[in-house]
Amino acid sequence: MGNDLDGFKKVKILDAPCGAGKTSYAIQYMNEEIDENTKVFYVTPYLDEVNRIKLSCPKMDFKDPPKKFEVVDDFKSQKSKSAGLLELVLRGENICTTHSLLGKVSERVIEALRAQHYILILDEVFTVVEELAQKTTSGTIEDKREEKFRTWEIIEHLKADGVVEKMEDATGLLTWNDERASETRADIRAFQEISSLIKRELLYQINDKIIFWTFPIELFRDIFVESFILTFQFDAQLQKSYYDFFGLQYEYYHPVLDKNTGKYNLVKTENRDYEIEWIKKIRERIVINEDEKLNRIGDYWYDINGNLRDYNLSKSWYENNADGKSNIITNSLRKSLDNFFNNQAHDKRSSKRMWTTFKNFRKYFRGSRAGERNFLSIGTRATNMYGHKTVLAYLINRFHNPDILQFFSARDIRVPVDEYALSDIIQWMFRSNLSIERDQEIDVFREWKIEDNGDKVAVTERIKVEPETVEIYIPSYRMRKILKDYFWFDKQGEN
């Protein structure tokens, strides 16, 4: 596909393994290289990381929009973090905030950013494409957001009136017809949010079945003076496919520590040799449970046509096996999990455990030996609050939502499947003790607390940790194979 964004600055992808110094380089860059005329917009997944960046870069005097910020605009009082973000941008403040707030960025904030002189530093990829509504094969409508939004109903109503039109190309971009809107005198105020998204060309309807929202691409294209994405295995991420979908240019870099000066240098990536060194170092600390009985529930099988199937423990597997008296999740998987933690793990202390499953099925493990406080969601990134955990259980066979694959196929964009699964499990594992490279003190997670302003914050305790061997139970045959093929790439015949 031709690139329709030539002439714009390339996004710099700082793609390097966990613990390679990406965040350390970003902190060094902000402390030593940013001049007073350039402002920084730093975005990270969690509030605790916002606080860490603020403490690490005191001269930046970072601001984060308060939850109950109030601004008067057009005679209306607005109380929200989004309103607070707009005010901070208009004042030209250095901003450090979370992914969730960036995902809600308004058109007014984007235009305000365009008028300033900001650099974007995005710590880890985030949600850039999301399914909003779907018409199922039975004809029922599933709205992925709150029911009050009635996304599908509103769009079909506006299409019937000719106010909204769908592009004839494969992408299904929804467009707004101002002339028709005036003719029909449609009460656009009743559909303000949806009409705004369509006017900004952020909504797509694929095969008249699924409606997708996309993050405004101009934020990466021409709003910032420079943009950095700190991540690992970017090629496996949906954000990479999203960039390809819109023809956005990007280039790869990685930080290299100068042992003489103790400073990081940013090097353009020509090959992945540095990753090979990291793999060989890390694999010495990983022990994968290979117990045949414990892993049987995640084995592959052959269908009647002789085709290999390895979907056990996928999300659809959970959905198909969650109900009825023969509930395999509680009767088999949960028992295997308890067996691993109680009898086979090298360290049987509950405080050392960390586990995950799909969020909607977490309830089936309540009362198990896994422990509610030891649960860590898949997709968790950019935190070392679980750096004391050494006994892990990954009860998932990770696949993309097939609807998302359909969205990208509209422009023949390949979305990696196994690479995505590998990236997810590595990122999750590296929230554990694998992220610890030397004896050090860290703030470890104890529990969640809701503050007076409504923010959910982690209650932590500072403890000393040291690098240890990490044992992991991965009952999915496919996920074990993907992980072993990566870490023991040169010894596959021995595994």
Side-chain angles (χ1 to χ4, degrees):
M1 183 184 72
N3 193 319
D4 45 285
L5 297 175
D6 291 335
F8 295 108
K9 282 194 173 183
K10 294 181 181 179
V11 175
K12 291 184 176 179
I13 310 297
L14 273 64
D15 190 328
C18 307
K22 298 184 293 289
T23 304
S24 296
Y25 168 77
I27 290 170
Q28 173 188 300
Y29 174 71
M30 290 185 288
N31 284 333
E32 299 180 8
E33 298 183 42
I34 298 290
D35 62 58
E36 60 183 15
N37 296 318
T38 302
K39 302 300 178 182
V40 174
F41 194 103
Y42 195 103
V43 189
T44 189
Y46 308 108
L47 279 173
D48 64 291
E49 282 298 298
V50 168
N51 295 330
R52 184 167 80 94
I53 295 299
K54 287 180 177 180
L55 291 172
S56 300
C57 305
K59 81 162 194 173
M60 301 301 297
D61 190 24
F62 276 119
K63 299 291 190 300
D64 180 30
K67 193 173 185 67
K68 294 186 178 180
F69 183 92
E70 183 172 0
V71 62
V72 176
D73 174 44
D74 296 333
F75 307 106
K76 289 193 300 182
S77 175
Q78 303 176 21
K79 292 185 177 181
S80 68
K81 292 198 78 168
S82 296
L85 177 60
L86 175 60
E87 181 67 15
L88 292 179
V89 173
L90 290 172
R91 295 206 313 250
E93 301 280 5
N94 288 313
I95 297 167
C96 187
T97 190
T98 60
H99 281 190
S100 61
L101 187 57
L102 179 64
K104 301 170 185 174
V105 68
S106 68
E107 192 169 18
R108 293 194 61 193
V109 170
I110 290 176
E111 290 309 309
L113 285 167
R114 192 192 302 272
Q116 299 284 358
H117 197 72
Y118 275 97
I119 285 174
L120 172 68
I121 301 178
L122 177 60
D123 188 2
E124 290 299 349
V125 296
F126 79 122
T127 303
V128 288
V129 178
E130 186 175 6
E131 183 180 334
L132 294 189
Q134 178 178 170
K135 187 175 184 179
T136 65
T137 52
S138 63
T140 59
I141 304 301
E142 294 181 357
D143 205 315
K144 306 299 180 179
R145 305 186 302 167
E146 294 179 46
E147 189 175 332
K148 66 180 181 181
F149 288 111
R150 304 178 1 257
T151 306
W152 188 278
E153 178 186 337
I154 292 170
I155 288 176
E156 289 302 306
H157 172 74
L158 293 173
K159 282 172 65 181
D161 284 345
V163 176
V164 169
E165 299 170 345
K166 191 177 81 167
M167 296 286 285
E168 293 300 322
D169 65 3
T171 67
L173 173 67
L174 296 177
T175 60
W176 189 262
N177 187 326
D178 277 319
E179 184 177 345
R180 185 59 182 158
S182 298
E183 291 174 357
T184 59
R185 296 184 179 179
D187 185 8
I188 304 306
R189 289 172 298 178
F191 314 133
Q192 187 172 5
E193 183 184 7
I194 295 297
S195 64
S196 173
L197 293 175
I198 295 173
K199 288 176 182 178
R200 295 168 66 190
E201 298 190 348
L202 301 182
L203 297 189
Y204 295 77
Q205 188 174 36
I206 305 298
N207 297 331
D208 291 322
K209 292 181 179 178
I210 310 169
I211 296 171
F212 290 98
W213 163 87
T214 59
F215 185 77
I217 189 64
E218 65 263 34
L219 207 83
F220 296 111
R221 184 170 60 192
D222 61 354
I223 299 298
F224 294 100
V225 177
E226 203 159 21
S227 297
F228 299 86
I229 314 295
L230 318 183
T231 190
F232 180 40
Q233 297 179 323
F234 183 70
D235 284 349
Q237 309 302 327
L238 282 180
Q239 194 161 329
K240 191 261 188 190
S241 301
Y242 160 86
Y243 284 173
D244 292 344
F245 185 90
F246 288 106
L248 190 69
Q249 294 185 328
Y250 48 89
E251 51 193 4
Y252 294 90
Y253 292 82
H254 62 279
V256 175
L257 180 64
D258 186 327
K259 295 182 179 179
N260 294 322
T261 64
K263 303 285 187 181
Y264 284 94
N265 296 313
L266 195 60
V267 177
K268 192 167 185 178
T269 302
E270 303 294 343
N271 56 59
R272 308 291 291 192
D273 289 350
Y274 66 91
E275 188 175 339
I276 300 299
E277 296 174 10
W278 175 82
I279 287 172
K280 291 181 177 179
K281 179 178 72 172
I282 292 299
R283 70 187 183 187
E284 299 300 319
R285 295 175 55 197
I286 300 174
V287 175
I288 300 175
N289 184 284
E290 297 284 5
D291 185 277
E292 184 177 340
K293 185 177 180 180
L294 286 190
N295 289 323
R296 189 172 298 152
I297 193 169
D299 274 351
Y300 63 88
W301 48 280
Y302 292 94
D303 63 18
I304 57 174
N305 297 316
N307 299 314
L308 186 146
R309 301 296 182 188
D310 54 3
Y311 300 133
N312 285 4
L313 302 180
S314 65
K315 192 170 185 180
S316 61
W317 179 92
Y318 274 88
E319 291 169 347
N320 293 333
N321 289 286
D323 299 319
K325 293 182 180 179
S326 60
N327 188 323
I328 297 176
I329 300 173
T330 54
N331 293 339
S332 182
L333 182 58
R334 177 173 155 171
K335 289 180 180 178
S336 295
L337 178 66
D338 285 347
N339 189 352
F340 168 69
F341 281 135
N342 283 342
N343 303 315
Q344 299 201 13
H346 67 278
D347 191 325
K348 297 179 175 57
R349 289 175 291 175
S350 176
S351 62
K352 302 293 263 184
R353 296 170 186 169
M354 187 175 94
W355 67 284
T356 196
T357 186
F358 296 104
K359 190 175 181 180
N360 290 345
F361 300 94
R362 178 181 176 180
K363 62 185 178 183
Y364 292 99
F365 298 91
R366 286 177 186 152
S368 74
R369 296 296 182 179
E372 275 289 297
R373 290 187 179 182
N374 299 325
F375 178 84
L376 183 64
S377 297
I378 51 175
T380 301
R381 301 183 179 216
T383 180
N384 67 352
M385 287 196 299
Y386 303 84
H388 58 306
K389 304 289 189 178
T390 58
V391 183
L392 320 182
Y394 189 87
L395 309 179
I396 286 172
N397 189 3
R398 194 73 158 129
F399 290 93
H400 277 299
N401 178 340
D403 295 334
I404 292 289
L405 302 183
Q406 189 175 355
F407 171 80
F408 285 110
S409 68
R411 284 192 178 171
D412 297 324
I413 304 297
R414 176 187 174 270
V415 180
V417 177
D418 286 355
E419 294 92 332
Y420 165 75
L422 172 67
S423 174
D424 248 29
I425 190 172
I426 288 177
Q427 287 280 4
W428 185 83
M429 288 171 63
F430 264 80
R431 309 287 65 84
S432 75
N433 188 262
L434 284 178
S435 65
I436 306 301
E437 295 187 345
R438 65 185 184 283
D439 294 1
Q440 63 188 90
E441 289 189 349
I442 63 170
D443 294 315
V444 301
F445 173 80
R446 290 307 182 206
E447 62 182 355
W448 291 109
K449 176 184 176 183
I450 306 298
E451 295 196 327
D452 292 340
N453 65 1
D455 283 339
K456 182 181 179 182
V457 297
V459 177
T460 61
E461 176 187 353
R462 195 155 189 83
I463 67 171
K464 290 183 178 180
V465 292
E466 60 183 23
E468 298 181 61
T469 297
V470 170
E471 185 176 3
I472 184 166
Y473 171 46
I474 312 170
S476 164
Y477 165 81
R478 171 177 171 264
M479 295 302 299
R480 279 199 317 281
K481 184 177 187 308
I482 288 171
L483 193 69
K484 290 194 290 186
D485 285 351
Y486 176 75
F487 276 108
W488 289 272
F489 66 94
D490 55 344
K491 300 183 179 182
Q492 290 183 26
E494 302 172 24
N495 286 288

